[in-house]
Amino acid sequence: MDAISIPQLLKMAEQRQAFEFREHLASLETLTPVQGHLSVRHCGGYLEVTGSADTIVTLACHRCLQHYNHRLQLDASELIWLEEPEPPTFGAEVEVDYDDLVETLPPNGLFHPDNWIYQQLCLAIPHRQLCDRNCSGIDLSPEIITGGDDVDRRWAGLAALKQQLGEADPPR
Ligand SMILES: [Zn+2]
């Protein structure tokens, strides 16, 4: 995906560029090409970006650590403010307010569609990754942890005790 020149958008019909895509992103490993569409509109002081994307990624289950495939789908839109970056101020106290957290681009700069789609896909990756809702996780049964005879003997003692209790006469 080619970078879009922000000032060039003003010369286009409806100050807007829209296109479909189907390709692998360099920054994100996916099983299938990422496909979708993207529209970038210049609205004077800001860009209005709308897009959709669809792909399949391989994730590792948080419970059993097995890999599984997960379909990522998104429909997203974002406003990106156009303003020149502030020159760095040395020695001054840096205050971070909410405005700094909003995405901005210089009005004469470039918009990188692949970067935007990459960010949206990252946000769409589930927090809690499970291969299956009922995944029972790693098998922690005693035989697997200590492996064998040792355990059998200890459990044999318990089994014998259970049997004794079972055979004892119920209290009257
Ligand atoms: Zn699992």
Side-chain angles (χ1 to χ4, degrees):
M1 273 175 259
D2 294 330
I4 296 171
S5 155
I6 295 169
Q8 281 294 322
L9 281 172
L10 289 170
K11 297 177 186 158
M12 304 191 74
E14 299 178 326
Q15 290 81 54
R16 176 170 172 270
Q17 187 170 340
F19 58 92
E20 312 235 314
F21 57 86
R22 179 184 157 82
E23 63 184 66
H24 282 279
L25 300 181
S27 41
L28 184 72
E29 206 178 306
T30 53
L31 219 58
T32 56
V34 182
Q35 62 178 328
H37 73 83
L38 191 81
S39 150
V40 188
R41 192 157 71 100
H42 200 306
C43 305
Y46 61 94
L47 295 182
E48 183 189 65
V49 186
T50 330
S52 72
D54 191 328
T55 189
I56 294 174
V57 289
T58 302
L59 302 175
C61 175
H62 287 167
R63 276 193 202 149
C64 70
L65 307 179
Q66 303 265 24
H67 288 101
Y68 67 101
N69 294 332
H70 178 82
R71 186 169 190 190
L72 281 185
Q73 279 177 300
L74 65 91
D75 270 302
S77 61
E78 189 184 18
L79 303 182
I80 300 175
W81 301 99
L82 298 175
E83 57 183 34
E84 291 298 342
E86 302 254 327
T89 45
F90 294 104
E93 226 173 277
V94 180
E95 276 182 51
V96 177
D97 59 24
Y98 178 72
D99 287 345
D100 292 332
L101 303 175
V102 174
E103 186 108 34
T104 61
L105 282 173
N108 291 313
L110 295 170
F111 172 76
H112 295 276
D114 43 358
N115 195 20
W116 189 81
I117 291 164
Y118 166 73
Q119 284 177 23
Q120 301 301 321
L121 285 173
C122 287
L123 291 173
I125 290 176
H127 239 23
R128 194 155 175 250
Q129 297 172 14
L130 293 180
C131 62
D132 185 287
R133 198 174 303 170
N134 298 318
C135 171
S136 54
I138 296 169
D139 193 347
L140 294 176
S141 54
E143 289 81 4
I144 286 187
I145 293 175
T146 50
D149 294 331
D150 219 17
V151 179
D152 283 350
R153 251 178 276 131
R154 277 188 281 155
W155 286 113
L158 185 63
L161 184 64
K162 265 186 174 169
Q163 212 171 358
Q164 279 172 24
L165 290 172
E167 282 169 3
D169 289 331
R172 294 171 192 240

